[in-house]
Amino acid sequence: MLRNTQSHVMNPKKTFALAVGLALFLLPLFLDFEGLSLMGHITLGIFLLAAVFWILEPIPIYATSLLVIFLQIVFLSVQGPLYQLSEVPSATPLPVEGEVWEIPAAALQEEDAVLVLENGKQAGVVPVTVTGSNAETVTVRSDELSTESRLVIDGDHWLLDFEVPSYTVYLNALANPIIILFLGGFVLAGAAVKYQLDRNLTRVILRPFGTKPARVTMGLMLVTATLSAFMSNTATTAMMMTVIIPIVAQLDPDDRYRIGVALAIPFAANVGGIATPIGTPPNAIAIGALQAHGIQIAFGTWMMLAVPLVVVILFFVWWLLLRVYPAKGERIVLDLSGRFNVSGKAITLYFVFGLTVLLWVSEAWHGLSSSVVAFFPIVALTAFRVVEIDEIRNLPWEVLWLMAGGIALGVAMQDTGLAEWLIGLIRWDLMGAFVVICVFGFVAAGLSNFISNTVAASLLVPLAISLGVSGMLADAASLEINAIIIAVGASLGMALPISTPPNAIAMSTGMLRTPDMARMGVIIALVGLPVAFVLAKFLWPLLVGN
Amino acid sequence: MCTGETEQTQGSDSRGHSRARSGSREKPAVVAEVRRLAEASPELSGLIQTFEAGRPLLREGEYRDEVFCLLEGAVTLYKKAPTGGRIAVDSIRPGDLVGLLSYCTGNPNFVDAVVESPVTALTLSFERFGSLAESAPELYERLQTLIRDNLTERYRRMVVLHLKLATLNATLEKERDELRRTVLELERTRSRLVQQEKMAVLGSLVAGLAHEINNPASAVLRSVEYLREAFEDVLKQIPGEVEQGTARRFWESGMRAQLPDTVTQRSRLETLAREHPKLPRPLLRRLAAVPPEVLDLESGIETENVARLLSVFEAGLNLQIIQVSSERIRNLVVHLKKYARPGTQGRQRIDLRDGIRETLLILRAALKRFEVELDLPEIPGVYADPGRLNQVWTNLIYNACEAMGESGRLRIACGRAGPCRVFVDVRDSGPGVNEEIKEKIFQPNYTTKEQVNHFGLGLGLSISKDIVSDCNGELTVRNAPEGGAIFRVELPAAEGGGGEET
Amino acid sequence: MEKIYILCVDDEPDVLRAVARDLALLEEAFPVETAASADEAKALIGRIQESRDELGLIFCDHVMPGQNGVDLLIELRGRLDLDLMRRVLFTGQAGHEDTVDAINRAGITHYVAKPWEREELLQVARDELTSYIIASGRDPLPYMRYLDQERLAEHVHRRNRTDTGQ
């Protein structure tokens, strides 16, 4: 009922969000910020629009991502109409005699140079010698001018300010290596779901954990975290829910253990996502942005950074949940019946899955980047029809688009100098590198409680990277560490049902109430983030940077 | 074959008498002469042969080029019957000839000829027989006479045979009709008996069941009373005069309330939803059953209070529903008992309309899809067995439903058909009754539909007609001018006029 | 998000009242409507669609005055806009032929014999609505606590997405 009424007053809210987004998009065009190019202004408009749309969701968040790419192509690319339809105002020199020309005074850019347009949009510098001048015109001597030459009158024109790129720069985001890495992960996960590999692994892993409630919780969390490191957190949570729903149904309704176990699954899934680059999209945003700066983070390197953190947080969550929601009974019985699929296709899948993971974690030895490796399962599984057209259609393509939008936005913010300008607004140098890391971590976690983790990362990572590039911070590794801490922080924002899809799934079963989730989520973030900061201070610099 | 004559002179049929007499009288004399002539002739005397009894003269299907003229004894002719065995077809006496047909046509023997009693016969080969006219003209002449006599006799007997055959056929036909009628009558009696037995079983079953149902139903009704008193006591203990009054109002309203139809319920629900957007829909739906005037008096009731008062209202409503439903059960049992009376109680003076109403109640579920229109004014009573008449109503109504198919209009009317006759019309809006089948419709086992009797109570229109006839009444069918069939039951009114008895 | 209605059609007011009461547990997510005849049901379906809501489940009595339940369901089956709707036939007395007809031509998805038990009715409604949610491709999360959680979780697992994004 409550849900229904909410959804029906949704429309005015959507309209409001649309209006605010559009207003904020136009606002920078009417303002003139010192030190920011016109293209920077437009990018700021796109950034604000994306932020409002991503946060308030008047349109789906993946649609906002596509809108970002579209707006960039329209306003910021050579192929876009803005560029195509604009020209730099120009004038032609009047011949006086021989190599002496009379030109408008505004055309003289410096004391001894004019800009000559080559194609209406770009100009080359031509040196001249001024021979005389009056109020509006000057006479100059140059052997490179002709009656055909078009002299730039407005030297500060936006077209000359910024080298407008081809639209391929933005479109590339859609097939960015990290996107391909994710696609590989999706195909593997899709096949795993199809052949119930995930379910069967769950059975096998859970068996040794026995029937004591504490050990069962540990087993469930371990399985969930492991699977969600390689599969989507959402799919993992949903699968694990089908495992625990029968258990919970057996329990006494007053047994608080049911709340604990219902929280353990989504939390473990969220945390487990941190463990690998393909675990969750914020990781991809960070890695993608770093790649744009020529910094490669290998699959194995990421795991070395993240796995210790994940293990510590998981252990803490386990301890916390058992303490707050102790079990009444002594025995929890899981239904672990089932058999591995042994058809030819399933065997192929097991082989491809194992080999791919092996190649991913061993990048340091063979040097093949994880994106290249990711192509192997895509090709192999489709070629052997392990994954068929239905599963391919069923892949979460919109997640790829969502990430592409974030990556494209980062690229534009970087290229147009917006990121740098935004960073310049705050006196970071007063804070010191460690404080900066803490700030990013908390902001990322706080923000991603309310908005999509991917979106939070998309908004924050470009800023963090600019900060690193700007050289305002002394620490050399801070560029990478800033990006990673944001990805980690985004995954730790899980205090509300709307924070992540795993939370939403757990909540929707009605096994727990929002205060349970909020209390535990906040405690976990407050403990987990400092652990991450400590690792960022002492462990991570050893693994990344120079 | 020219058979000899079987009837001797003295035994001939009176009808062929005058014509056959002249030849027959001479026959023994002619035979004596033939014998005499043959014995006199040296060539022929050797041809007089004797045959002992049982000896075959001719065999059917074989050739034997001899003709025998019987002088003494008897021969029987047999023909193979198509069904196997052989039948004696004729008996040959002195003066008759055997083998003549074979001689005339050249075909094999037509029959077997077996000696019955020792025979003396003049045996002539075909060759000798052919030349007899020249060789023994006197004998030849005598033989000619014998042959002519033979033919005449044969013709006479054929005519007699035809006559006999015709008489026989007529008798047979008559007997067959008789048999058919008897079988029909038997069938009718049987089904009537089966029906009566069925009704008797049903009747005693229902009587027993009714007792079993009535006891708990009565207990429920009594408990409703006690519960009501108990609840009213509880209401009295509610503190606060205003609160008590309000609760009492909800309680009483619940005991009286009629469930509004769905359209009214929906509009009330929508109004309530607008006025109290916070309340959950299931609660609002329950509230919509409360009459608005009861709710209005309490404008501004708090949510918590609403739920409590609603429970009070619903306690009343549910108690009312229990009461109404158990009364309905008891009523149904009473009607069922009347409908299916145990055994035949014999005739009594009854009001036809009671039976019709009971039947309609029993068939309520089946009649749901039809419009039912009743026009049952006061009519005189009749003398009849009420249980059996209910069968008639069931059959007629059920028949009408079948004719109408999925939907239609059933009209039942009664009235006076004459000074001392009453009628009941059962009319449907089906296709009507075809002229051709109007006659057959009342025959047992006649049907235009698959024989599915959903109730197992009726055995069709023939039974109905019988039952009505037993009451000195008539069951007829005609088509209504605007379509559909009308089945009319007409019964003599009981003496003493109509109306005063119930 | 449009509402998904449950529609009950029966000519007996007592039955309607009882069904609506039995389904009250689901009504927080699936509003229940009642109609006393086939015609009223059709008018209601029109109204529900006008307000851009959906009809997810219909409980239909078999024997009713006017158009009977099976015929109503047959008629509704021809409508593309009600393609996914689950159909339950409610019956006190049914011949074999009617049953065959109901399954073959009316496309019923479940059969409930009167009298029914509340738990049984709720279970049927839950199962049918779960199938409806899965077939409709809606986000199952808002309905999860009312319906068959295991089936819906399995559906999310296979489909690997919820409307919350990511």
Side-chain angles (χ1 to χ4, degrees):
Chain A
M1 187 79 190
L2 191 66
R3 209 174 274 276
N4 283 338
T5 45
Q6 257 183 357
S7 70
H8 271 254
V9 291
M10 204 54 182
N11 279 342
K13 201 168 147 192
K14 280 185 181 172
T15 321
F16 171 74
L18 279 172
V20 170
L22 286 175
L24 286 178
F25 173 62
L26 295 173
L27 185 68
L29 300 181
F30 294 102
L31 299 173
D32 189 11
F33 294 114
E34 189 77 21
L36 188 63
S37 67
L38 180 71
M39 289 316 215
H41 281 82
I42 293 175
T43 310
L44 179 60
I46 294 176
F47 179 79
L48 292 172
L49 175 96
V52 170
F53 279 17
W54 270 336
I55 292 167
L56 298 179
E57 287 189 56
I59 62 174
I61 51 175
Y62 50 85
T64 303
S65 279
L66 293 173
L67 177 66
V68 164
I69 298 177
F70 175 69
L71 289 175
Q72 288 173 338
I73 291 170
V74 169
F75 292 108
L76 301 177
S77 78
V78 168
Q79 284 78 5
L82 184 65
Y83 182 86
Q84 289 294 328
L85 300 174
S86 317
E87 276 203 13
V88 180
S90 61
T92 37
L94 295 171
V96 178
E97 58 169 24
E99 291 179 349
V100 180
W101 306 84
E102 186 185 272
I103 62 170
L108 194 64
Q109 298 303 327
E110 288 163 39
E111 270 184 35
D112 53 359
V114 292
L115 287 170
V116 178
L117 278 178
E118 279 151 19
N119 59 6
K121 279 144 192 162
Q122 273 148 12
V125 179
V126 172
V128 292
T129 317
V130 179
T131 54
S133 70
N134 56 36
E136 296 196 346
T137 59
V138 288
T139 48
V140 295
R141 178 186 298 273
S142 168
D143 56 355
E144 285 179 54
L145 294 178
S146 71
T147 51
E148 304 288 298
S149 301
R150 293 162 62 202
L151 303 176
V152 174
I153 294 178
D154 176 8
D156 294 329
H157 192 269
W158 61 269
L159 276 175
L160 305 173
D161 219 17
F162 164 66
E163 194 176 333
V164 179
S166 164
Y167 64 173
T168 53
V169 168
Y170 308 111
L171 291 179
N172 277 346
L174 285 165
N176 186 289
I178 193 71
I179 300 271
I180 298 301
L181 175 63
F182 256 74
L183 184 59
F186 285 171
V187 171
L188 271 181
V193 169
K194 181 179 180 185
Y195 295 95
Q196 307 216 320
L197 175 60
D198 50 351
R199 196 175 287 278
N200 287 317
L201 280 177
T202 305
R203 273 194 308 112
V204 171
I205 301 176
L206 277 179
R207 202 162 285 154
F209 284 88
T211 57
K212 282 212 172 103
R215 302 186 67 178
V216 169
T217 309
M218 179 175 269
L220 289 171
M221 288 179 68
L222 194 76
V223 172
T224 311
T226 311
L227 288 177
S228 80
F230 293 95
M231 289 172 50
S232 118
N233 298 352
T234 312
T236 307
T237 307
M239 193 272 289
M240 292 308 292
M241 279 295 160
T242 67
V243 174
I244 69 157
I245 284 166
I247 312 177
V248 171
Q250 289 168 16
L251 292 177
D252 184 16
D254 299 331
D255 196 340
R256 291 169 67 73
Y257 178 73
R258 53 193 288 159
I259 303 179
V261 82
L263 281 173
I265 302 295
F267 286 171
N270 293 333
V271 173
I274 300 171
T276 66
I278 59 164
T280 181
N283 304 357
I285 300 290
I287 294 173
L290 290 171
Q291 266 173 3
H293 285 276
I295 300 165
Q296 306 293 337
I297 294 188
F299 202 97
T301 312
W302 179 282
M303 285 186 71
M304 282 195 274
L305 289 167
V307 169
L309 176 64
V310 169
V311 169
V312 172
I313 297 179
L314 278 181
F315 190 78
F316 172 71
V317 173
W318 173 73
W319 174 82
L320 178 70
L321 291 178
L322 281 176
R323 218 183 141 71
V324 180
Y325 304 106
K328 264 186 171 178
E330 297 282 304
R331 248 172 86 83
I332 302 289
V333 183
L334 296 167
D335 177 18
L336 298 177
S337 58
R339 290 180 54 198
F340 274 95
N341 190 332
V342 287
S343 65
K345 286 181 178 180
I347 303 282
T348 312
L349 165 68
Y350 305 153
F351 174 74
V352 170
F353 203 111
L355 186 60
T356 308
V357 172
L358 200 68
L359 286 171
W360 270 337
V361 297
S362 61
E363 187 180 333
W365 289 285
H366 53 69
L368 285 175
S369 92
S370 49
S371 300
V372 176
V373 172
F375 246 102
F376 166 64
I378 299 174
V379 172
L381 295 181
T382 50
F384 290 110
R385 294 179 194 274
V386 176
V387 172
E388 281 167 302
I389 192 72
D390 280 346
E391 285 88 43
I392 294 170
R393 289 198 180 119
N394 211 17
L395 293 179
W397 295 102
E398 80 282 358
V399 176
L400 298 183
W401 295 346
L402 178 64
M403 292 192 285
I407 292 169
L409 187 63
V411 168
M413 285 172 73
Q414 211 64 55
D415 287 358
T416 59
L418 172 66
E420 212 168 328
W421 177 82
L422 281 173
I423 293 299
L425 298 177
I426 298 171
R427 299 291 306 276
W428 300 95
D429 44 346
L430 298 180
M431 294 188 199
F434 187 71
V435 178
V436 169
I437 289 172
C438 296
V439 168
F440 274 129
F442 275 110
V443 170
L447 202 54
S448 71
N449 268 322
F450 302 97
I451 63 175
S452 146
N453 298 353
T454 316
V455 167
S458 302
L459 294 173
L460 292 174
V461 164
L463 302 181
I465 288 185
S466 313
L467 189 59
V469 172
S470 71
M472 275 187 257
L473 296 170
D475 202 332
S478 58
L479 176 61
E480 293 92 327
I481 289 169
N482 281 346
I484 297 166
I485 203 78
I486 287 169
V488 169
S491 286
L492 287 177
M494 50 186 184
L496 297 172
I498 56 156
S499 301
T500 69
N503 283 14
I505 293 172
M507 206 61 211
S508 69
T509 60
M511 294 176 197
L512 42 103
R513 291 169 309 120
T514 307
D516 293 316
M517 180 174 275
R519 218 160 34 143
M520 294 300 113
V522 168
I523 295 174
I524 291 165
L526 289 180
V527 173
L529 280 170
V531 174
F533 300 150
V534 171
L535 291 174
K537 178 82 181 164
F538 301 107
L539 174 67
W540 295 359
L542 308 175
L543 297 165
V544 296
N546 311 318
Chain B
M1 170 178 306
C2 309
T3 57
E5 82 170 342
T6 47
E7 302 286 329
Q8 296 304 310
T9 40
Q10 71 276 16
S12 72
D13 196 296
S14 59
R15 276 170 286 181
H17 202 220
S18 58
R19 270 176 288 167
R21 185 159 303 257
S22 61
S24 305
R25 185 178 286 167
E26 292 166 10
K27 205 170 171 184
V30 178
V31 171
E33 272 183 45
V34 168
R35 185 168 193 158
R36 187 180 50 81
L37 284 170
E39 277 168 351
S41 159
E43 308 145 44
L44 295 174
S45 61
L47 296 177
I48 297 174
Q49 296 179 352
T50 55
F51 303 93
E52 68 275 26
R55 165 141 183 221
L57 289 185
L58 302 177
R59 281 185 201 284
E60 187 176 343
E62 286 178 5
Y63 284 97
R64 175 148 189 188
D65 52 352
E66 281 173 324
V67 174
F68 306 88
C69 179
L70 238 65
L71 303 174
E72 265 174 40
V75 171
T76 305
L77 302 184
Y78 294 96
K79 181 83 184 153
K80 274 181 194 145
T83 50
R86 53 184 200 173
I87 303 164
V89 290
D90 209 347
S91 168
I92 305 294
R93 306 283 156 177
D96 295 341
L97 286 94
V98 175
L100 206 57
L101 192 66
S102 216
Y103 174 76
C104 296
T105 59
N107 288 336
N109 299 322
F110 188 61
V111 291
D112 284 343
V114 181
V115 176
E116 189 72 37
S117 55
V119 158
T120 310
L122 178 63
T123 312
L124 299 162
S125 68
F126 283 178
E127 196 188 345
R128 192 177 293 269
F129 188 68
S131 62
L132 217 56
E134 287 122 45
S135 59
E138 268 184 283
L139 184 67
Y140 178 72
E141 193 194 330
R142 298 295 181 277
L143 284 179
Q144 286 291 320
T145 311
L146 282 177
I147 290 169
R148 197 183 56 232
D149 272 10
N150 214 320
L151 278 174
T152 321
E153 179 60 20
R154 244 179 72 87
Y155 179 73
R156 195 182 62 82
R157 284 182 53 206
M158 194 191 72
V159 171
V160 171
L161 268 171
H162 269 287
L163 273 172
K164 276 186 176 168
L165 193 67
T167 323
L168 206 66
N169 270 343
T171 318
L172 250 168
E173 190 67 30
K174 212 169 117 193
E175 276 171 6
R176 208 164 53 194
D177 280 355
E178 199 77 18
L179 208 63
R180 203 182 281 138
R181 263 198 301 280
T182 315
V183 167
L184 256 165
E185 195 54 46
L186 261 170
E187 175 70 24
R188 194 177 280 229
T189 316
R190 192 189 66 87
S191 51
R192 207 190 290 186
L193 282 172
V194 166
Q195 182 64 6
Q196 274 174 15
E197 181 64 19
K198 245 184 182 174
M199 288 312 291
V201 169
L202 181 74
S204 50
L205 239 147
V206 165
L209 200 65
H211 184 71
E212 290 299 314
I213 294 173
N214 260 340
N215 279 342
S218 307
V220 170
L221 277 172
R222 244 189 337 275
S223 305
V224 167
E225 274 315 301
Y226 297 152
L227 204 58
R228 181 183 183 146
E229 283 163 21
F231 202 93
E232 276 167 5
D233 276 348
V234 171
L235 281 180
K236 279 187 198 134
Q237 285 156 26
I238 293 177
E241 212 163 302
V242 181
E243 282 81 1
Q244 203 181 104
T246 314
R248 179 166 290 280
R249 204 162 36 245
F250 270 80
W251 162 253
E252 276 162 8
S253 157
M255 284 298 291
R256 275 195 318 270
Q258 297 271 325
L259 268 188
D261 64 82
T262 44
V263 179
T264 317
Q265 268 183 57
R266 194 158 34 251
S267 75
R268 280 198 206 159
L269 177 63
E270 277 158 14
T271 317
L272 284 168
R274 264 197 306 279
E275 288 167 3
H276 311 278
K278 288 268 164 62
L279 294 182
R281 199 175 150 98
L283 188 68
L284 289 173
R285 182 192 314 290
R286 288 162 60 197
L287 268 180
V290 182
E293 61 274 10
V294 177
L295 273 185
D296 268 357
L297 289 170
E298 289 308 311
S299 50
I301 348 173
E302 300 131 34
T303 314
E304 225 176 279
N305 226 351
V306 162
R308 206 166 35 232
L309 288 172
L310 197 55
S311 296
V312 173
F313 173 81
E314 282 184 351
L317 185 61
N318 283 320
L319 209 56
Q320 186 212 154
I321 289 173
I322 295 172
Q323 189 174 13
V324 170
S325 301
S326 25
E327 266 162 16
R328 223 168 107 187
I329 291 173
R330 205 165 61 171
N331 243 334
L332 198 71
V333 168
V334 169
H335 281 290
L336 200 63
K337 237 157 98 182
K338 278 193 193 163
Y339 174 82
R341 287 157 214 262
T344 342
Q345 305 120 306
R347 294 196 189 184
Q348 40 188 276
R349 190 172 195 153
I350 51 165
D351 187 340
L352 289 179
R353 298 170 302 167
D354 290 343
I356 294 172
R357 293 204 187 96
E358 278 157 25
T359 308
L360 286 174
L361 193 77
I362 302 295
L363 297 183
R364 202 174 76 102
L367 290 173
K368 242 182 183 182
R369 45 179 210 241
F370 305 107
E371 272 180 75
V372 179
E373 195 182 293
L374 294 181
D375 176 21
L376 302 175
E378 194 90 342
I379 46 165
V382 298
Y383 271 113
D385 180 336
R388 299 191 68 202
L389 265 189
N390 282 350
Q391 282 307 290
V392 176
W393 311 138
T394 307
N395 281 333
L396 293 183
I397 291 170
Y398 190 68
N399 189 59
C401 291
E402 285 288 302
M404 290 188 285
E406 275 309 300
S407 64
R409 183 174 208 196
L410 176 73
R411 274 175 284 187
I412 302 179
C414 68
R416 285 169 183 270
C420 48
R421 281 178 91 78
V422 293
F423 74 87
V424 173
D425 276 355
V426 177
R427 177 169 176 180
D428 62 52
S429 61
V433 180
N434 198 322
E435 279 303 324
E436 296 163 31
I437 63 170
K438 247 186 195 171
E439 288 306 311
K440 289 191 251 170
I441 206 166
F442 294 114
Q443 287 173 9
N445 300 334
Y446 176 78
T447 179
T448 54
K449 57 187 190 249
E450 297 143 64
Q451 196 69 43
V452 207
N453 194 318
H454 287 227
F455 307 103
L457 296 179
L459 264 178
L461 291 167
S462 83
I463 293 277
S464 304
K465 194 173 177 87
D466 289 345
I467 294 173
V468 175
S469 305
D470 286 351
C471 305
N472 302 320
E474 252 188 301
L475 172 59
T476 52
V477 61
R478 65 180 198 277
N479 284 325
E482 62 271 30
I486 305 175
F487 283 85
R488 166 167 287 205
V489 175
E490 235 181 86
L491 292 166
E495 281 83 27
E500 72 262 32
E501 73 262 53
T502 43
Chain C
M1 181 169 57
E2 310 84 24
K3 285 185 264 188
I4 300 174
Y5 276 86
I6 302 173
L7 176 59
C8 309
V9 193
D10 199 311
D11 59 315
E12 302 262 354
D14 290 344
V15 173
L16 282 182
R17 178 171 166 271
V19 175
R21 190 80 190 261
D22 288 352
L23 295 177
L25 275 179
L26 289 176
E27 196 158 9
E28 219 175 295
F30 304 95
V32 177
E33 276 293 2
T34 54
S37 70
D39 287 333
E40 195 185 335
K42 280 182 270 187
L44 252 175
I45 292 172
R47 270 185 55 183
I48 289 172
Q49 289 182 332
E50 255 171 50
S51 52
R52 311 195 56 182
D53 292 324
E54 285 174 23
L55 187 56
L57 173 59
I58 185 168
F59 278 101
C60 198
D61 184 30
H62 188 166
V63 185
M64 292 188 289
Q67 194 176 21
N68 77 31
V70 173
D71 287 342
L72 172 66
L73 290 179
I74 290 173
E75 187 183 328
L76 294 181
R77 196 190 191 188
R79 289 173 54 171
L80 281 176
D81 49 349
L82 297 173
D83 213 23
L84 296 174
M85 180 178 70
R86 311 295 293 181
R87 303 138 211 272
V88 177
L89 195 67
F90 231 156
T91 185
Q93 43 156 65
H96 175 70
E97 261 175 72
D98 293 323
T99 318
V100 170
D101 222 31
I103 291 168
N104 288 349
R105 295 180 55 223
I108 63 161
T109 45
H110 208 101
Y111 215 89
V112 175
K114 289 183 191 172
W116 68 94
E117 300 280 327
R118 180 200 289 232
E119 267 314 308
E120 176 202 359
L121 191 75
L122 265 174
Q123 199 47 51
V124 168
R126 280 202 190 104
D127 286 348
E128 293 300 320
L129 286 168
T130 303
S131 303
Y132 179 81
I133 294 293
I134 290 174
S136 72
R138 277 166 175 262
D139 181 11
L141 294 193
Y143 307 102
M144 200 134 159
R145 73 178 59 201
Y146 309 101
L147 304 178
D148 185 335
Q149 302 194 341
E150 236 178 304
R151 261 173 81 199
L152 287 180
E154 180 60 32
H155 172 59
V156 172
H157 172 221
R158 296 211 150 260
R159 217 174 57 131
N160 183 21
R161 72 197 64 169
T162 72
D163 279 1
T164 326
Q166 298 207 253

